[in-house]
Amino acid sequence: MPTYHKPEAKTIQELKDIAHKLRIDSINATQASKSGHPTSCASIAEIMSVLFFNTMRYKLSAPRDPSSDRFILSKGHAAPILYAAWAEAGLFPVEDLMNLRKIDSDLEGHPTPRLNFIDVGTGSLGQGVAVACGMAYVGKNLDKADYRTYVLVGDGESAEGSIWESLHFAGYYKLNNLCVIFDVNRLGQSEATSLQHQMEVYRKRLDAFGFNAIVVDGHDVEELCKAFFEAASTTDRPTAIIAKTYKGKHFPNIEDLENWHGKPLGDAAADVVAHLQKQIRNPGPIALAPPSPQKESAPKVSIKGVELATPPAYQKGEQVATRLAYGTALAKIAMNNDRVIALDGDTKNSTYSDKLRKAFPERFIECFIAEQNLVGVAIGAACRDRTVAFVSTFATFFTRAFDQIRMGAISQTNVNFVGSHCGVSIGEDGPSQMGLEDIAMFRAIPGSTVFYPADAVSTERAVEMAANTPGVCFIRTSRPNTAVIYENNEKFEIGKCKVVKQNANDSVLLIGAGITLYEALKAADELEKSGIHCRVIDPFTVKPLDQEGIIKHGAQCGGRVVVVEDHYKQGGLGEAVLSALAEQRNFVVKHLGVDKLPRSGPPTVLVDMFGISARSVAAAVQEIIKM
Amino acid sequence: MPTYHKPEAKTIQELKDIAHKLRIDSINATQASKSGHPTSCASIAEIMSVLFFNTMRYKLSAPRDPSSDRFILSKGHAAPILYAAWAEAGLFPVEDLMNLRKIDSDLEGHPTPRLNFIDVGTGSLGQGVAVACGMAYVGKNLDKADYRTYVLVGDGESAEGSIWESLHFAGYYKLNNLCVIFDVNRLGQSEATSLQHQMEVYRKRLDAFGFNAIVVDGHDVEELCKAFFEAASTTDRPTAIIAKTYKGKHFPNIEDLENWHGKPLGDAAADVVAHLQKQIRNPGPIALAPPSPQKESAPKVSIKGVELATPPAYQKGEQVATRLAYGTALAKIAMNNDRVIALDGDTKNSTYSDKLRKAFPERFIECFIAEQNLVGVAIGAACRDRTVAFVSTFATFFTRAFDQIRMGAISQTNVNFVGSHCGVSIGEDGPSQMGLEDIAMFRAIPGSTVFYPADAVSTERAVEMAANTPGVCFIRTSRPNTAVIYENNEKFEIGKCKVVKQNANDSVLLIGAGITLYEALKAADELEKSGIHCRVIDPFTVKPLDQEGIIKHGAQCGGRVVVVEDHYKQGGLGEAVLSALAEQRNFVVKHLGVDKLPRSGPPTVLVDMFGISARSVAAAVQEIIKM
């Protein structure tokens, strides 16, 4: 291990001074905004000072430089001091801090990447470590670069299980380029934290999770400098710096007291600021400059223009599960771009993401059964455009990570989610394994794109498009085999439906997706025998939905629409169609979906029992034809 | 500590025999169903034998007897051996096991409470410990009874952070009546688990989380008997029994091998069964009877007929936040029923659940910042009708527990969820704290009831109704104050809207809820000045929605409907209205909702900026009036 050299006394003093300046900035900003969390800032003032003015290597000229160290403030409510650190370092004028939380300022209540120095949104607690793990994993294994990743976690949020998923991941993959700092300030929002200042308990837990666990006085800049040095010199494990701190440190009559969470200091502010100013030895400009990255260690990469290495190659009518086509496409897009990666949570042999692992083992990240971390790692891996990440598990298990996906949208992530085993058509495994709310969930993510391909050809194209589409993409794949219905050279567009059956005299428009497209087709064929002609469309994307196409074809069918989906009736394809038609008079829609809790049984029996088979579609057509 | 007496040799032998019988039952059942997880059953055969025939005290005559020990199979995919244990104990004929996973059998692929011996559905991994914690907490602190709670966890699922939230909870509350058994069988679904057989790592982690951690040979019935005795004799802590086991134990050529997850044995079955039969010394009927509970230790309780102790007492026009009215109502319903409890995740001073804590501290469970465990504990606490549980946090943080809530529906839970801080109207804290997908989420829960009260009076009644309504209930509360608009004696019904403004010549129907009801009213008042009359309705419940009322009033307004909501446009009130009108020709709906990622700012500014203020409602009316 390299030898530690204590910083000069002058540096130590300046780091102390900076900590107090950051405290004052945080107080002033939250006074101006009349809301915010100054006491949560105060407990980390020395940590921020040491990180931003002594330890981290980064460029003010390029805050998202790929070779720079990363910093994630997992306890996002301490945003004011993060903004203050960047301002005091010189990124923007300190006076701008007074715009905190204003409608026309990007200095929001919690950090978001609207700011050029923020990688991910934080504020929903317990998510920063997963993101940091994704960054550190990429840094170590893909970039093979020397940048380090720091993540600052509150003690309150360390009760979140997601944190422990991520710590386990970091320990398992020996992410020695990761440093997790715990701000153990003893106080939560509404009472003391469960562990308060039991530093030894934290140490034991982190040690058991595979970390080099160092307990420090979080208000002692010297101890912090040394601990960060030790972290950077530890080669076999990630490091946890467990900092004993006090909420509202150096705020007289406020420090370590309850009932000061999330409140500006109000009338107490002036006295506190005066007190803090007295602690500062050198009130002049800050002399310390942030250390720069030693070299451009991260390789230049491109994540644009991802393409299938070879076009889809199926026979029409061939029976292929869309989940299998996903695996095939994933391996194909990975051939031409070495930044395509896949992550899974021990379901890779069911989702078929293992096809990428077989082809490119170094680009597959097994995250084991821990979906929150799985999603967070993917978001971290995709930061700064380092990778094109595809993350897969059973569709319904993404509910486990809904909060992470929601925050992913705030983080402007481009991660692609692939959920297999949707709907009652999975069969015997029963309701716990059936994705029946996944479309509702992903539709409610701002800016998301939701693909629901019915056959293997469209699935391969969905994968290719998702890789190139900004924002959260979701691809819903099915467990049963479905017939290939598209030519291998068929062109697909996001927001454009496909008409898979039509006649001039169609009187009802049927809309199905995935397995229900086939039920709709079967019903249409059957109805044709009795002279009822139905047009059938495959939406391809549920969001955006082809509003224009549906209105046009629906109108041509007398305004009669039947939608059938293997999903609960709330928030899925049916309601997407209803939204598209909302402002149209003279439409009627029959909506078939799963409307009660399903059970175990054979797929085809369940599809029929829960009212989404061809039989039910035909019955709905017989009714709507009279409307 | 009491002295341990080793069971007689005959008992030990019989427990061994039973384990093999359970293995054979599991193989036979999964052979019959042609799907399922026999190897995952085999690793826990001795654990199940000892628990069901030596350790647990329970009644076959009343499988959900309140005084009996509880057992949760967190690794729900091992369902066949759980069913086999109950069958072999005598609850139902062993032959019935051959109906596993059939459409007309409740022996589903994963356990659900359709079976009278199952408390909660499992199968989505990592959820059993939280439920067990809820049961154990109630047993220890509310029932003050001597029943014990056992939960069996797979090693694969122990990567789920939810498990660690729960272990921390159990350690913190010193739930000495809880025993968590880890089945460390080394193999996951698609590869080995991350920790494989590193028993000492498990031991260290569990010790650090406050458990009496005992490592045993999970296939040694004597060791297991002793460990369970030690668990029951440990008074200061919960116990973790960490069992080293092998997947497919005693299945020749299958034991401890990969690629045998979730597969029946097929052609190998006959040889394996023959091999197992040879291990059985006494192939005759099982002589051991399950131990009975020593006494009726759990008190008789009633959770029916919960009522507000005093009616709402507000002045019309008074400004009261609905989140505050929630707290008031919660304390009131708790006065007349000592089984009303509240749980929160360190937001009690924001959600106002602290009003119950102040009134009845022993009935408030602080779960700290760990929402998955928070929800799981509530579900456990409500099992066997022991409590009426209300669980609160910020609405958006329930996304963290979507999977638990989803499984709650499968578990037939009656837990009531209360989400505060919905929508952009929370203001400066920004998007990470805004509930904008919570209605979409709760609507997609089968059998759920979604209340969205606009004022304090309706909120109090919503709380009272939720307490008495089966299934998942969700009450959405708002941060800003809103005017009281209802009389204190106003009657409310689930699925019945309230007309809050009407005239004979109304030409547009406005539907708002929570803060947007007031925006709709304001718009209506403004429009009236220019001669446009609008009817305004408050849905009260979004699910079920008053379809009949909306159709009737909408038709009276020329089929013109404007819906406005402080929620993303997907899956919320607007789409619920569209669903209600789906089969009506001659309606047009304008839908105002948040359609992009919001930001920090003052509440009123945000409400206007994101198009859900009175101004936008008025503009929508001006457009729709021409349609």
Side-chain angles (χ1 to χ4, degrees), chain A residues 99 402 477:
Chain A
N99 296 324
F402 190 10
T477 66

Side-chain angles (χ1 to χ4, degrees), chain A residues 375-541:
Chain A
V375 169
V377 168
I379 292 171
C383 279
R384 303 194 185 187
D385 289 346
R386 302 311 294 166
T387 69
V388 180
F390 280 79
V391 50
S392 52
T393 183
F394 286 18
T396 200
F397 298 150
F398 280 124
T399 57
R400 198 61 159 264
F402 190 10
D403 199 25
Q404 278 75 10
I405 298 165
R406 178 181 79 86
M407 290 300 296
I410 295 174
S411 300
Q412 302 176 13
T413 188
N414 295 321
V415 167
N416 307 295
F417 298 85
V418 182
S420 68
H421 291 69
C422 65
V424 300
S425 54
I426 71 160
E428 287 83 357
D429 272 344
S432 65
Q433 318 294 303
M434 296 169 174
L436 286 159
E437 57 295 289
D438 50 308
I439 298 178
M441 177 169 68
F442 279 101
R443 280 184 69 231
I445 297 296
S448 66
T449 304
V450 177
F451 297 87
Y452 189 2
D455 82 342
V457 172
S458 52
T459 302
E460 288 207 27
R461 292 302 177 192
V463 173
E464 185 178 47
M465 276 184 238
N468 297 294
T469 301
V472 165
C473 289
F474 174 59
I475 303 174
R476 188 182 215 222
T477 66
S478 301
R479 184 170 184 272
N481 289 334
T482 48
V484 172
I485 52 172
Y486 296 111
E487 300 288 351
N488 286 317
N489 62 359
E490 181 84 30
K491 301 279 177 241
F492 293 86
E493 277 181 71
I494 290 171
K496 285 285 175 198
C497 68
K498 291 283 174 191
V499 180
V500 293
K501 182 179 170 68
Q502 71 175 323
N503 276 298
N505 54 348
D506 289 332
S507 53
V508 181
L509 176 64
L510 307 185
I511 305 176
I515 67 118
T516 61
L517 179 67
Y518 299 85
E519 299 298 327
L521 281 167
K522 198 170 148 194
D525 288 344
E526 201 54 44
L527 288 159
E528 210 153 46
K529 295 175 190 164
S530 51
I532 299 172
H533 297 281
C534 297
R535 190 162 305 177
V536 182
I537 67 177
D538 168 7
F540 182 58
T541 52

Side-chain angles (χ1 to χ4, degrees), chain B residues 143-444:
Chain B
D143 285 347
K144 299 183 201 304
D146 73 354
Y147 61 80
R148 294 181 55 74
T149 300
Y150 297 87
V151 54
L152 202 165
V153 179
D155 54 349
E157 68 172 321
S158 73
E160 291 282 13
S162 50
I163 296 268
W164 298 91
E165 292 181 3
S166 303
L167 294 171
H168 175 65
F169 177 92
Y172 179 78
Y173 286 110
K174 300 188 193 308
L175 299 178
N176 58 312
N177 55 348
L178 174 71
C179 180
V180 184
I181 306 114
F182 288 84
D183 169 38
V184 186
N185 70 16
R186 200 187 70 82
L187 293 174
Q189 171 179 321
S190 67
E191 64 176 273
T193 63
S194 52
L195 292 177
Q196 300 206 32
H197 271 151
Q198 297 180 57
M199 307 308 291
E200 184 55 18
V201 174
Y202 283 101
R203 201 200 56 71
K204 273 175 67 179
R205 292 185 183 182
L206 284 154
D207 177 67
F209 273 72
F211 272 69
N212 172 31
I214 311 171
V215 174
V216 299
D217 173 349
H219 297 302
D220 183 325
V221 296
E222 269 193 73
E223 270 195 56
L224 287 165
C225 289
K226 190 174 172 193
F228 285 121
F229 178 84
E230 186 183 323
S233 314
T234 301
T235 54
D236 61 337
R237 284 176 295 171
T239 292
I241 295 179
I242 311 161
K244 183 176 179 180
T245 62
Y246 292 90
K247 200 156 173 173
K249 179 72 181 174
H250 290 299
F251 294 3
N253 304 316
I254 291 172
E255 178 178 323
D256 202 32
L257 295 180
E258 293 202 31
N259 297 317
W260 276 104
H261 180 91
K263 290 177 189 166
L265 303 192
D267 294 343
D271 284 353
V272 173
V273 169
H275 171 81
L276 290 167
Q277 268 159 347
K278 270 186 249 162
Q279 315 303 312
I280 297 173
R281 296 278 178 86
N282 171 18
I286 294 171
L288 286 175
S292 296
Q294 289 167 327
K295 53 185 166 95
E296 300 294 324
S297 70
K300 281 208 166 63
V301 300
S302 169
I303 59 160
K304 292 198 193 302
V306 177
E307 281 184 7
L308 292 171
T310 56
Y314 300 96
Q315 301 290 325
K316 259 188 152 181
E318 192 181 344
Q319 291 286 328
V320 186
T322 53
R323 60 180 171 137
L324 178 60
Y326 161 63
T328 303
L330 181 66
K332 281 191 199 175
I333 60 167
M335 284 182 72
N336 288 337
N337 188 310
D338 67 2
R339 287 284 153 164
V340 171
I341 66 167
L343 307 94
D344 204 305
D346 196 21
T347 59
K348 57 186 174 289
N349 53 347
S350 292
T351 61
Y352 287 108
S353 66
D354 61 359
K355 290 197 160 221
L356 182 127
R357 189 170 82 146
K358 280 169 200 150
F360 305 102
E362 72 287 0
R363 281 194 264 150
F364 182 87
I365 310 177
E366 178 54 63
C367 293
F368 302 99
I369 306 173
E371 294 78 11
Q372 296 192 78
N373 183 61
L374 169 69
V375 169
V377 167
I379 292 170
C383 280
R384 302 194 185 189
D385 289 347
R386 302 311 293 166
T387 70
V388 180
F390 280 79
V391 50
S392 52
T393 183
F394 286 17
T396 200
F397 298 150
F398 280 124
T399 57
R400 199 62 160 261
F402 190 11
D403 198 26
Q404 279 75 11
I405 298 165
R406 178 181 80 85
M407 290 299 296
I410 296 174
S411 299
Q412 304 177 12
T413 190
N414 295 321
V415 167
N416 306 296
F417 298 84
V418 182
S420 68
H421 291 67
C422 65
V424 299
S425 55
I426 71 161
E428 287 82 357
D429 272 344
S432 64
Q433 318 293 303
M434 295 169 174
L436 286 160
E437 58 295 290
D438 51 308
I439 298 179
M441 176 169 68
F442 279 101
R443 280 184 69 232

Side-chain angles (χ1 to χ4, degrees), chain A residues 284-327:
Chain A
I286 295 171
L288 287 175
S292 295
Q294 289 167 326
K295 53 184 167 99
E296 298 295 323
S297 70
K300 280 208 166 65
V301 301
S302 169
I303 60 162
K304 293 200 193 303
V306 177
E307 281 184 9
L308 292 172
T310 56
Y314 300 97
Q315 301 290 326
K316 260 189 152 180
E318 191 182 344
Q319 292 285 328
V320 186
T322 53
R323 61 178 171 138
L324 177 60
Y326 161 62

Side-chain angles (χ1 to χ4, degrees), chain A residues 106 108-110 125 160-161 165 168 190-191 194 346 348 371-372 400 429 443 558 575 579 600, chain B residues 106 108 110 125 160-161 165 168 190-191 194 346 348 371-372 400 429 443 558 575 579 585 599-600:
Chain A
D106 287 337
E108 297 193 75
H110 294 78
L125 294 170
E160 291 282 13
E165 292 181 2
H168 174 65
S190 68
E191 65 177 89
S194 52
D346 195 20
K348 57 185 173 289
E371 294 79 11
Q372 296 191 79
R400 198 61 159 264
D429 272 344
R443 280 184 69 231
E575 293 195 346
S579 277
S600 289
Chain B
D106 288 337
E108 296 193 74
H110 294 78
L125 294 169
E160 291 282 13
E165 292 181 3
H168 175 65
S190 67
E191 64 176 273
S194 52
D346 196 21
K348 57 186 174 289
E371 294 78 11
Q372 296 192 78
R400 199 62 160 261
D429 272 344
R443 280 184 69 232
E575 293 195 347
S579 276
R585 279 211 193 247
R599 57 184 304 125
S600 289

